[in-house]
């Protein structure tokens, strides 16, 4: 596991509901609705709905996986796929989850990371922790309290897509609310910052839906970046990632050397936070730098053949 610290990006986000939201609690009650949102007593007072960070992470992961597959077919694994005999058109094996491929192998530090697909490098697998994490999203104090509403749904027949024999069930949803959360990217490669930027922009444009029933129109949200900053282990004029900050470990971890060209300038006068240098990235900076960062994700997917890398490692390890 990677222990040293080099860089970190943190974004504070506001999440505005554009329609009803249901993040299921999975707790059935005897009388009330058949499904309801997760609740918390965070901050004291009444039980309030919240959006677990794990849900947000799942949504962003699948969004980026979809984009990655569109940019380059089979560029990311299917994390829960344990085994497959299906061959891809190019003769390689189907996208079995990186964690399952590496299961039981004795790996040196950096090897699991180096040979994993883009999504597992970002979000982790059973073999290593991911770089991107989300906090739980809580009601934003000072805004209108979240409003709950019971809706009845017609059960959909899984095979015909029509109503299933007139079955109905009640669902309690969050009809209105403003939430806030944070997303953190630790020891990022610059293409990973690119992936975060793509996710943030799509979030701002309302392209990500959260929770259950998204196919029925639930969970439409819009994100707003309230604050964004980068902490670096040493002051730097240009935006750099872990590959530039620790070049001696680049090979071990397989970090991509991608950087925007021309390079992206960081604001002057970083704030000292303990041993870190903090660069606050305002809306004007983001406007310009986001566009320069975006090609990084596509570039990473194009430059690496994840399936070859991971198959080579597995072959080597099972032989020795
Ligand atoms: Zn993977």
């Amino acid at each position: 596991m990677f222990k040293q610290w080099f860089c970190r990006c943190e974004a504070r986000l506001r999440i505005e509901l554009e329609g009803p939201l249901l993040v299921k609690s999975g707790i059935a009650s005897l009388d009330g609705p058949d499904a309801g949102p997760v609740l918390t007593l965070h901050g004291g007072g009444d039980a309030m709905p919240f959006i677990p960070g794990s849900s947000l992470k799942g949504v962003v992961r699948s969004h980026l996986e979809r984009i990655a597959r569109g940019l380059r077919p089979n560029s990311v694994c299917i994390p829960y796929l344990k085994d497959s005999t299906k061959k891809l058109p190019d003769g390689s094996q189907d996208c079995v989850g990186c964690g399952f491929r590496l299961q039981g192998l004795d790996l040196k530090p950096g090897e699991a990371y180096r040979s994993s697909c883009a999504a597992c490098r970002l979000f982790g697998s059973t073999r290593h922790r991911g770089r991107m994490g989300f906090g739980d999203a809580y009601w934003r104090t000072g805004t209108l309290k979240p409003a709950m509403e019971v809706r009845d749904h017609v059960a959909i027949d899984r095979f015909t897509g029509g109503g299933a024999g007139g079955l109905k069930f009640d669902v309690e949803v969050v009809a209105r609310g403003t939430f806030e959360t944070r997303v953190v990217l630790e020891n990022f490669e610059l293409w990973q910052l690119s992936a975060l930027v793509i996710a943030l922009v799509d979030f701002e444009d309302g392209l990500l839906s959260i929770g259950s029933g998204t196919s029925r129109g639930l969970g439409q949200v819009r994100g707003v970046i309230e604050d964004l900053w980068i902490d670096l282990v040493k002051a730097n004029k240009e935006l750099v990632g872990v590959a530039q900050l620790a070049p001696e470990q680049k090979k071990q971890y397989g970090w991509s050397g991608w950087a925007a060209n021309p390079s992206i300038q960081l604001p002057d006068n970083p704030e000292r936070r303990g041993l870190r240098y903090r660069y606050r990235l305002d809306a004007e900076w983001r406007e310009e730098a986001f566009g320069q960062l975006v090609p990084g994700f596509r570039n990473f997917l194009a430059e690496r053949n994840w399936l070859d890398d991971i198959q080579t490692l597995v072959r080597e390890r099972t032989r020795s």
Side-chain angles (χ1 to χ4, degrees), residues 33-34 149-155 166-173 216:
D34 303 307
E149 213 173 85
V150 174
R151 308 209 151 188
D152 66 71
H153 277 266
V154 174
L167 285 178
K168 277 191 168 189
F169 58 99
D170 288 335
V171 171
E172 188 175 32
V173 294
R216 295 194 304 269

Side-chain angles (χ1 to χ4, degrees), residues 269-287:
N269 305 320
E271 189 187 331
R272 286 302 297 270
R273 306 283 301 171
L275 294 170
R276 292 162 287 132
Y277 293 81
R278 176 162 297 178
Y279 297 86
R280 287 192 179 274
L281 308 171
D282 60 16
E284 199 186 329
W285 187 93
R286 301 199 294 261
E287 178 83 35

Side-chain angles (χ1 to χ4, degrees), residues 102 106-116 252 313 317:
L102 299 173
D106 185 21
L107 299 174
K108 296 189 194 103
E111 279 184 333
Y113 182 85
R114 189 174 72 211
S115 48
S116 292
Q252 188 189 352
L313 178 75
R317 276 309 126 93

